[in-house]
Amino acid sequence: MTSAAAAPASRKSGGGGGSSSISMSQQNKLDVRQHLKRLNKPPLKTIKSPDGDIIDCVHIAHQPAFDHPLLKNHTIQTRPNFHPDGTKFEESKRVSGQKARSSKPITQLWHLKGRCPEGTIPIRRTKKDDILRAKSIERFGKKKPTNIPHQPRSAQPDLVTQTGHQHAIVYVEGDKYYGAKATINVWEPKIQQPNEFSLSQIWILGGTFGQDLNSIEAGWQVSPDLYGDNRTRLFTYWTSDAYQATGCYNLLCTGFIQINNEVSMGASIFPISGYRESQYDISLLVWKDPKEGNWWLQFGNDYVLGYWPGFLFSYLTDSASMIEWGGEIVNSESDEQHTTTQMGSGHFPEEGFGKAGYFRNIQIVDGSNSLRDPKGLGTFTEQSSCYNVHSGKSGDWGTYFFYGGPGRNPSCP
């Protein structure tokens, strides 16, 4: 098997009084320009990716996170104080010359055209069209507030499905969790409607599933509305108020502080798996630094990407109360039928390796900052005839599951 890798504040538009000489459309253009200026910091180097993305190498101290009022005098933590016990982490070996550069694995498509220098971070440039696809500047880069994650043991099925979001997940709850890990098979599922998406991720959850939910999320997604195409992209998300006002995808608001110059949030992952072809996966680890209280994100064995400062959250300042792993899609039922948007590979878990999507070596971080297998794993899906999940245990793969499905089919109307 092969592996791919070892709330923005926006100015309100003019107040609508007759004295305003600026039309709403002109005001909107001005707002969009100002928002682009806030997001797209002046780069020290620019890389044009083969997929059309522009990657800006921005000085680490000039990234969007530091627009947050509480981060004005923040000292960047250049490395976590602690890694969870049992983590593989290779300190980057600083070797000069072309040999070291050419030996780096290609994990994102833009790497084919260059790398960002030390002291900078790679930021996918936001374009005007990206913002215009959103319902408003305020909602750009955010999940819908109605998208509250399900609480499998207590939520009513109709409450879960009324938002149009469907899942195939495994989960643990009932303990204190300080992080989670998984190796996630990477695919390029087909999306029926531009306003739908398909993702596969880890959820770190705290609080109740009402107005005060805290969530840290990381994985891959295909989201035409957000990115303007159907490519599979690495993403993160956070919220401290159930997706209402706080948080966003990637670096599209203040919050997440990136320290890594190799991996770009929101950039496309390369290569990806094919049906009955080579399989690729990415490993993600999220954990809480016991000393500073920040939540860190690691990609593969080599890349500590950055951290969410603990003060962003309420419940997650202590610990998470639930961890979920798996897939999620949006079913907009545009033609009054179930969407054909695929989850995972677009094939059911019964098909197994090389055909169905998988998560393997899923683990949680416990109170002693150690990685261990999850105990009392539950599974959940709204409509198993559309998307399903099957879990198991084995030697090399530890705790794993296959998941996903095609959406609409003869059994899924």
Side-chain angles (χ1 to χ4, degrees):
M1 192 185 119
T2 48
S3 171
S10 77
R11 291 180 195 166
K12 296 282 187 282
S13 50
S19 61
S20 171
S21 60
I22 303 176
S23 73
M24 282 303 288
S25 61
Q26 287 174 308
Q27 181 66 50
N28 195 43
K29 284 177 189 169
L30 183 64
D31 287 348
V32 169
R33 273 204 304 274
Q34 288 172 335
H35 199 57
L36 285 170
K37 191 175 177 184
R38 273 194 292 272
L39 290 175
N40 296 324
K41 306 299 184 184
L44 300 178
K45 178 182 175 181
T46 293
I47 297 166
K48 182 83 185 288
S49 175
D51 58 8
D53 279 1
I54 297 170
I55 304 296
D56 288 326
C57 305
V58 173
H59 191 286
I60 189 169
H62 298 160
Q63 62 183 292
F66 297 116
D67 292 341
H68 196 294
L70 294 178
L71 289 171
K72 285 296 180 209
N73 301 309
H74 181 79
T75 302
I76 299 172
Q77 219 183 321
T78 55
R79 64 180 62 204
N81 291 299
F82 298 95
H83 260 82
D85 293 338
T87 309
K88 285 182 181 168
F89 176 63
E90 316 297 337
E91 284 285 359
S92 298
K93 299 166 183 63
R94 300 189 185 281
V95 188
S96 59
Q98 191 61 36
K99 185 171 183 294
R101 178 166 287 268
S102 62
S103 67
K104 290 177 182 174
I106 301 292
T107 56
Q108 292 190 302
L109 207 53
W110 66 274
H111 289 164
L112 295 168
K113 295 296 183 181
R115 304 271 178 162
C116 282
E118 293 284 333
T120 70
I121 65 162
I123 302 181
R124 179 182 183 267
R125 186 182 297 179
T126 300
K127 298 170 183 169
K128 183 172 77 171
D129 286 349
D130 295 333
I131 297 178
L132 294 179
R133 280 192 305 273
K135 294 281 189 291
S136 67
I137 292 173
E138 288 83 1
R139 295 311 307 166
F140 172 65
K142 294 176 176 291
K143 291 189 176 186
K144 290 178 182 170
T146 53
N147 177 32
I148 52 170
H150 39 286
Q151 191 169 18
R153 287 183 187 166
S154 58
Q156 297 301 315
D158 58 339
L159 175 71
V160 174
T161 56
Q162 70 183 12
T163 62
H165 289 249
Q166 292 190 291
H167 309 80
I169 61 157
V170 304
Y171 65 94
V172 287
E173 60 182 342
D175 203 345
K176 289 190 169 188
Y177 308 101
Y178 298 86
K181 186 174 189 285
T183 297
I184 309 173
N185 193 199
V186 181
W187 293 84
E188 193 173 81
K190 290 185 170 50
I191 312 297
Q192 182 183 320
Q193 296 281 117
N195 65 337
E196 298 178 336
F197 65 64
S198 181
L199 58 75
S200 298
Q201 68 169 56
I202 302 169
W203 287 262
I204 313 278
L205 301 167
T208 65
F209 288 74
Q211 307 290 296
D212 62 353
L213 182 82
N214 289 197
S215 183
I216 290 173
E217 305 168 25
W220 61 257
Q221 69 182 156
V222 178
S223 177
D225 253 8
L226 185 58
Y227 302 105
D229 62 21
N230 291 282
R231 291 187 175 275
T232 303
R233 296 172 177 277
L234 177 71
F235 83 94
T236 59
Y237 201 94
W238 70 273
T239 181
S240 61
D241 63 357
Y243 307 99
Q244 292 175 93
T246 60
C248 61
Y249 283 110
N250 307 323
L251 303 181
L252 296 175
C253 65
T254 60
F256 184 82
I257 297 171
Q258 184 159 338
I259 61 166
N260 181 279
N261 69 325
E262 300 267 7
V263 176
S264 177
M265 305 294 194
S268 54
I269 299 171
F270 175 84
I272 56 169
S273 306
Y275 187 76
R276 289 183 169 165
E277 294 174 9
S278 297
Q279 297 300 297
Y280 296 94
D281 49 36
I282 58 172
S283 291
L284 293 171
L285 166 66
V286 178
W287 80 101
K288 186 171 183 251
D289 183 328
K291 185 178 176 189
E292 299 287 340
N294 299 325
W295 288 85
W296 285 83
L297 173 65
Q298 180 174 314
F299 179 92
N301 293 332
D302 304 305
Y303 307 113
V304 174
L305 300 190
Y307 57 95
W308 291 270
F311 72 76
L312 294 173
F313 304 102
S314 49
Y315 293 95
L316 289 179
T317 51
D318 175 37
S319 61
S321 55
M322 187 172 185
I323 308 288
E324 300 175 355
W325 300 262
E328 176 183 357
I329 62 94
V330 175
N331 173 27
S332 61
E333 295 187 344
S334 58
D335 48 6
E336 298 188 353
Q337 290 182 292
H338 195 287
T339 183
T340 56
T341 287
Q342 298 175 336
M343 184 190 291
S345 70
H347 292 262
F348 283 114
E350 295 86 348
E351 293 198 42
F353 182 77
K355 300 171 187 175
Y358 62 80
F359 281 56
R360 62 182 174 88
N361 300 111
I362 68 170
Q363 293 176 295
I364 58 99
V365 180
D366 66 15
S368 61
N369 198 36
S370 299
L371 280 165
R372 62 174 175 80
D373 285 350
K375 288 197 178 101
L377 201 65
T379 62
F380 175 81
T381 183
E382 289 91 351
Q383 289 179 278
S384 58
S385 58
C386 307
Y387 312 101
N388 208 356
V389 56
H390 291 165
S391 63
K393 283 188 90 161
S394 77
D396 291 347
W397 278 35
T399 303
Y400 69 89
F401 61 92
F402 287 97
Y403 73 105
R408 186 165 74 217
N409 68 75
S411 304
C412 170

